[in-house]
Amino acid sequence: MKGKLILEDGSVFTGNLLNNIKATGEVVFNTGMTGYQEILTDPSYCRQIVTLTFPLVGNYGVAEKFMQSRKSFVNGFVIGELCDEGSNWQLQSELADFLTRQGVPCLYNVDTRAVTRKIRSVGCMKGIIVPEDASKVEIEELFAVPIKKEVVQEVTTPEIYKMENDGPDVVVMDFGIKQNILNSLHNLGCNLTIVPAHTSAEEVLAMNPDGIFLSNGPGDPKDVPEVIEEVKKLIGKKPMFGICLGHQLISLAMGADTYKLKFGHRGSNQPVKNLLNGRVHISSQNHGYAVDEASLKDLPLEVTHINVNDGTVEGLRHKTLPLFCVQYHPEASPGPDDNMYLFDQFWTMLTGENKGE
């Protein structure tokens, strides 16, 4: 079936529609060459239509072990070539079957370079995926559907659960956490209690953890002011580490500001400079908002990492408290292990032991 992606500025990109499902969402692009299943199941993409710049997608199929959450939360998938038959020793099913099972609209055989260039020049915008013969009324109705803002509540765990271990107790606030982050903390030795996003500070502290972790997640951090208020109450009470949305929430709780990036940072090849030692690491990123560096003036926060491409803030630490956070995803290991030292730093905060370099 023929289909098309229509952006709110009127741009149209044609292709083939895998399933007869319409979609509405913010259109973004990811520059990674691999990891399509991880992208599809990363809750940070909730309510977005994701375009992949790499042209060949589906060539190694999908497998349960690479799921990053309980399901796919993306609203749509726009790609170049959809591979019919994957080849990998861990393959359990084909990508097309996975997309159909997950109910994800997929438009393929699209000139994704043209889509990406449009977004880079104009910025992220709303878009829809429809069959080629969609009527004007259908298109207008889809564009009239607002993009939901309560995305954190949609992706967070509905109930508390544990990943038990013999190490320090860590409460993980789940704003849409990736499974690889939980695995990284658990493999480190942490005894994890994962709680829903809107768990109160009093409930967290009542668990008497050795540390608190704030996860990644979707959307504008300012859309969850009630969470920011709870984070304020937690700062200084226990060692704290935040990633991505967690980094933004910590910054807002400390009095800093955030802003929307023109087209965001999404991909597994983003260079980040560690200002503490001058090293540049390759990082995996997925965020559309950033901390405003100017707003950090007079706050007890120090910039520790910056994005080499545009100079935006990628990491912060408190000048006196055991608290730090980064905007990118160290667990994704694109380097392949350039940034795992951040988990070791958290371990040292929790135990006083030096587990890494």
Side-chain angles (χ1 to χ4, degrees), residues 324-335:
F324 73 107
C325 51
V326 292
Q327 182 64 82
Y328 55 96
H329 285 264
E331 86 291 342
S333 305

Side-chain angles (χ1 to χ4, degrees), residues 261-308:
L261 294 164
K262 183 177 180 181
F263 49 81
H265 300 159
R266 299 176 179 89
S268 55
N269 44 16
Q270 300 274 338
V272 168
K273 184 174 183 178
N274 184 335
L275 300 180
L276 304 179
N277 58 25
R279 293 181 180 178
V280 174
H281 299 296
I282 298 302
S283 71
S284 178
Q285 301 193 13
N286 174 18
H287 59 99
Y289 294 82
V291 174
D292 181 359
E293 186 171 6
S295 72
L296 298 171
K297 185 181 179 182
D298 301 325
L299 294 180
L301 294 171
E302 175 186 6
V303 178
T304 56
H305 300 76
I306 61 168
N307 189 290
V308 174

